[in-house]
Amino acid sequence: MKFLVLLKDRRGNSSVISFLIVLPLILSLSFNPILMYLDAQKYQRLDHIVQKYLTIMESEGGLTTSRYIELVENLTSIGCDMSKTTIDYTPYPVDFGNEVRLGVTTQMKLVRISILRAGGANVQIITARAGPYYSVSKKNVGE
């Protein structure tokens, strides 16, 4: 009942209108840092996977076919579209002391809440790179 009284009063109308104007600003200021944090977490997971497989490549002497399939499955599990993902790697076998490398380039979708756009969401697609990381093979392939 009080709400109806506020709508009939001129000050009430201005209060409701100002609240409706300020609400999107408050929402964008509160949700955008959360969305940025989630994007940073996704990139950190990508980087962690690449570093993990580089360590595996060091001990196995390159990226084997089975490990490549596991790498693709891990990248798919974090949301990477494999049709837009490039994996630059040193294939198995790499002898002791030679260089192994691994790098992943993929497309990431960033979503932000925008006050100025009519839809409210601003979607941006960026190219994310993890690596290329280089290391030395620690396996004698001849053994």
Side-chain angles (χ1 to χ4, degrees), residues 7-140:
L7 286 178
K8 289 181 182 178
D9 185 20
R10 287 186 181 259
R11 288 187 322 207
N13 282 339
S14 65
S15 296
V16 170
I17 290 172
S18 64
F19 176 73
L20 292 176
I21 290 172
V22 172
L23 182 65
L25 178 64
I26 292 170
L27 289 176
S28 68
L29 290 175
S30 61
F31 285 131
N32 277 339
I34 295 169
L35 293 172
M36 289 177 191
Y37 176 75
L38 294 174
D39 292 336
Q41 289 295 316
K42 184 175 179 181
Y43 178 76
Q44 285 179 344
R45 286 192 306 260
L46 171 69
D47 195 54
H48 176 73
I49 289 171
V50 172
Q51 289 180 1
K52 172 185 158 187
Y53 277 89
L54 182 69
T55 305
I56 291 170
M57 288 172 66
E58 288 176 0
S59 62
E60 292 183 354
L63 192 63
T64 61
T65 306
S66 61
R67 293 294 187 176
Y68 180 82
I69 293 169
E70 288 178 21
L71 174 63
V72 170
E73 289 172 355
N74 282 328
L75 293 174
T76 304
S77 72
I78 64 167
C80 292
D81 182 8
M82 292 313 294
S83 65
K84 298 176 183 173
T85 301
T86 305
I87 302 172
D88 178 33
Y89 66 97
T90 306
Y92 178 83
V94 177
D95 205 7
F96 179 81
N98 292 330
E99 184 178 85
V100 291
R101 77 180 179 292
L102 180 61
V104 175
T105 305
T106 188
Q107 301 288 320
M108 284 180 65
K109 183 170 65 169
L110 306 177
V111 179
R112 301 288 182 266
I113 296 173
S114 175
I115 302 167
L116 302 175
R117 294 183 58 103
N122 185 12
V123 178
Q124 181 182 14
I125 296 177
I126 65 163
T127 301
R129 288 188 181 97
Y133 295 117
Y134 296 91
S135 189
V136 176
S137 175
K138 296 175 178 61
K139 177 174 180 159
N140 285 329

